[in-house]
Amino acid sequence: MGGASEATDSKIRSPLLTSLQRTAGGHGAGKQLESILNDESVPWVRRMCAATAVEMRMLVPLAAPAVLVYMINYLMSMSTRIFSGHLGTLELAAVSLGNTGIQFFAYGLMLGMGSALETLCGQAYGANKLDMLGIYMQRSTVLLMATGVPITVLYVFSRPILILLGESPEIARAAAIYVHGLISQIFAYAANFPIQKFLQAQSIIAPSAYISAATLVVHLVLSYLVVYQFGLGLLGASFMLSTSWWIIVIGQFVYIITSSRCRLTWTGFSLQAFSDLPEFLKLSLASAVMLCLETWYFQILVLIAGLLKDPEMVLASLAVCMTISEWVLMIPFGFYAATSVRVSNELGAGNPKSAAFSVVVVTMLSFVLSVIISVVILLCSDYISYIYTDGENVAVAVSKMTPLLALTIILNGIQPVLSGVAVGCGWQAFVAYVNIGCYYAVGIPLGFLLGFYFDLGAVGIWSGMIGGTLMPTVILVWVTLRTDWNKEVADAMKRLQRWEGNTPLLAGQE
């Protein structure tokens, strides 16, 4: 928390200088940041520099491990695609269709429903209502496990579903083999995301990074043996991916029940986990709709691209570009997680200026990193596909799409971070409406028009999708700039009082 009292020091020095000497961390650091931002006796430039230093000391320990967790977890999926891609172009196309066409549906839904905890756990932790975090986590896990049952049916019948959507029967058959090995991963998602959000709300992210890093090493070794040495191909690759996710889940849960850092937030299993489930489901669905509309958007790109001429080549080249895009997206996703924690914590603690300032800092940081990465990708456009496959035709197709890939990465450097602001504030329902209008009423029809009517193929489809991504980004920037942060603090207090009193209030209904 904070250091020595400022009462005496304030007589001889500015509160700004005093606050700079205090240790940033936890609720004390939030109050420290709020004090700096409110200290109008100090010139604006010095105040912003001091506030940035404090914010970075709180943000980096959150964002860096979060980025690492997301990137490592995605590396497991990415390595599975690489192992499969070197089996042949058909296998690479099948994994692309299976991952993006089927598996990403479950990922988006589970991540979205679990993200309701970012609002509730983050604001509860900021308000020091620690005992509720474990209850919220258990409620979310119960709901996500139940949701996994109908998703399993989708996985089982993935082949006829993909054929019904117009995909190539040969690719659909191979994709179904891959998807069947991912069935147990559904329930690993159901356990992982509530645990992940529970830990993130408390700024406990580094242990998840260590667990994920260790699991990645195991995953790479065993995947190589299963795919190449034991000859189990696509089914073996997906089965190992599912197993690795369960290792992560078990490792994180063992940490929770044994760590002293969670002793106040995890008090054991409780029957309260089964109370207020209908209302909790409504909030979870609001979060799910918001995030699913984003994650499914590019999933639809792959499904549409599978209807083009020469679908095997189109899907293979898209697999490379989408894999790179999704992997880089893990950086903004890490910032998304950090932003939702910072904003929800500060709102719960009653620090409106700190919440607003955190949004500015994390958005700028994510944007700058995205631009740098885009430049690197453009410089490597002729060679980057060889990481995934040896095909020269695929390399040529990927090279043509890298400008669109670079632009997508820049937009994705901003939009997910602003979604983190929405989650931290509880605006999920509003963002869901924005996404429906921009992604599905504009982006997808525009992609169809450019891809098929103007015969621009995958490039046209992706261009339309970028147009749909640009619109919600602009809208979220505008809404965030006009936000009344004092009102958001009041709304957070009302939300916590209602939920703690077992009279739930849904996000966006204050």
Side-chain angles (χ1 to χ4, degrees):
M1 299 296 179
S5 170
E6 298 177 15
T8 303
D9 291 354
S10 62
K11 298 178 182 179
I12 58 175
R13 68 181 73 188
S14 162
L16 169 64
L17 299 179
T18 302
S19 63
L20 279 173
Q21 294 179 346
R22 299 170 64 195
T23 302
H27 297 84
K31 294 299 182 184
Q32 176 191 9
L33 179 58
E34 193 75 8
S35 175
I36 292 172
L37 294 170
N38 283 318
D39 185 10
E40 297 184 359
S41 66
V42 176
W44 184 85
V45 173
R46 289 181 59 201
R47 196 170 39 187
M48 291 301 102
C49 291
T52 301
V54 173
E55 176 62 33
M56 290 299 289
R57 288 202 297 269
M58 290 186 286
L59 178 64
V60 171
L62 279 173
V67 169
L68 190 60
V69 168
Y70 278 108
M71 293 194 79
I72 290 174
N73 289 350
Y74 189 78
L75 267 175
M76 290 195 301
S77 177
M78 184 177 175
S79 65
T80 300
R81 294 192 199 187
I82 292 173
F83 285 132
S84 302
H86 284 284
L87 292 173
T89 303
L90 172 63
E91 286 78 3
L92 180 59
V95 171
S96 174
L97 190 60
N99 264 353
T100 311
I102 299 293
Q103 181 253 1
F104 216 52
F105 172 88
Y107 181 90
L109 183 61
M110 293 295 187
L111 176 61
M113 292 184 69
S115 292
L117 292 183
E118 293 180 329
T119 303
L120 295 174
C121 285
Q123 293 181 1
Y125 187 75
N128 208 32
K129 298 180 180 180
L130 304 181
D131 58 310
M132 293 304 297
L133 271 72
I135 302 300
Y136 291 153
M137 181 182 73
Q138 292 176 63
R139 285 179 186 169
S140 183
T141 304
V142 170
L143 287 175
L144 265 64
M145 285 291 181
T147 304
V149 175
I151 294 178
T152 300
V153 177
L154 174 68
Y155 275 47
V156 170
F157 294 100
S158 56
R159 181 182 178 183
I161 290 173
L162 290 172
I163 293 176
L164 184 64
L165 292 173
E167 306 297 337
S168 162
E170 185 179 14
I171 298 176
R173 180 190 60 79
I177 294 173
Y178 177 78
V179 167
H180 289 163
L182 296 176
I183 289 176
S184 67
Q185 186 190 46
I186 300 170
F187 299 96
Y189 285 159
N192 176 74
F193 292 128
I195 289 174
Q196 191 179 72
K197 306 309 177 184
F198 168 85
L199 291 171
Q200 284 178 1
Q202 304 169 71
S203 302
I204 304 174
I205 304 178
S208 295
Y210 298 142
I211 292 168
S212 295
T215 305
L216 176 62
V217 175
V218 174
H219 174 77
L220 292 174
V221 173
L222 294 183
S223 292
Y224 176 82
L225 293 175
V226 166
V227 174
Y228 297 127
Q229 300 301 314
F230 301 156
L232 296 182
L234 291 177
L235 184 61
S238 59
F239 178 77
M240 277 311 309
L241 184 59
S242 298
T243 303
S244 297
W245 270 92
W246 273 111
I247 294 173
I248 291 174
V249 168
I250 294 170
Q252 290 181 127
F253 186 68
V254 169
Y255 175 84
I256 289 173
I257 63 178
T258 58
S259 173
S260 60
R261 298 179 68 183
C262 300
R263 67 183 185 280
L264 298 179
T265 53
W266 172 260
T267 56
F269 295 102
S270 172
L271 291 176
Q272 282 186 270
F274 297 93
S275 63
D276 295 320
L277 286 179
E279 295 297 334
F280 203 90
L281 176 61
K282 292 179 183 178
L283 180 59
S284 297
L285 288 177
S287 296
V289 170
M290 186 195 84
L291 283 180
C292 285
L293 291 175
E294 295 177 21
T295 56
W296 294 347
Y297 185 53
F298 283 95
Q299 179 181 15
I300 292 174
L301 164 65
V302 175
L303 291 174
I304 295 174
L307 303 177
L308 294 169
K309 301 174 183 177
D310 194 10
E312 186 175 311
M313 179 59 62
V314 170
L315 288 173
S317 59
L318 274 178
V320 175
C321 291
M322 292 299 294
T323 300
I324 295 169
S325 175
E326 290 166 6
W327 187 46
V328 174
L329 184 61
M330 298 302 105
I331 297 176
F333 260 32
F335 284 115
Y336 156 89
T339 304
S340 66
V341 171
R342 290 287 301 120
V343 171
S344 59
N345 281 180
E346 296 298 352
L347 293 180
N351 301 326
K353 289 189 176 181
S354 298
F357 187 76
S358 179
V359 172
V360 174
V361 172
V362 72
T363 303
M364 291 302 298
L365 185 58
S366 180
F367 173 72
V368 170
L369 287 174
S370 298
V371 170
I372 293 172
I373 293 170
S374 296
V375 171
V376 172
I377 287 175
L378 286 173
L379 294 175
C380 302
S381 61
D382 292 334
Y383 316 102
I384 202 164
S385 71
Y386 291 109
I387 299 173
Y388 305 91
T389 181
D390 299 324
E392 292 186 8
N393 292 335
V394 175
V396 172
V398 169
S399 180
K400 291 180 180 178
M401 288 194 287
T402 47
L404 296 177
L405 173 61
L407 182 56
T408 300
I409 288 172
I410 293 174
L411 288 176
N412 285 342
I414 303 173
Q415 206 268 348
V417 175
L418 297 179
S419 293
V421 177
V423 170
C425 294
W427 300 341
Q428 289 95 325
F430 165 74
V431 178
Y433 290 125
V434 171
N435 288 348
I436 290 174
C438 297
Y439 290 157
Y440 296 89
V442 177
I444 293 176
L446 182 60
F448 256 109
L449 185 66
L450 294 175
F452 292 93
Y453 184 80
F454 289 99
D455 200 25
L456 296 179
V459 172
I461 294 173
W462 200 329
S463 298
M465 294 292 186
I466 288 176
T469 304
L470 178 62
M471 291 180 64
T473 303
V474 172
I475 291 172
L476 285 176
V477 168
W478 175 250
V479 170
T480 303
L481 289 174
R482 294 176 57 86
T483 297
D484 182 345
W485 293 100
N486 290 308
K487 179 180 179 298
E488 293 302 324
V489 168
D491 290 344
M493 295 300 103
K494 288 193 295 183
R495 185 182 296 112
L496 289 170
Q497 290 170 3
R498 296 289 183 90
W499 274 101
E500 191 177 35
N502 293 323
T503 308
L505 183 67
L506 299 185
Q509 293 183 352
E510 290 84 2

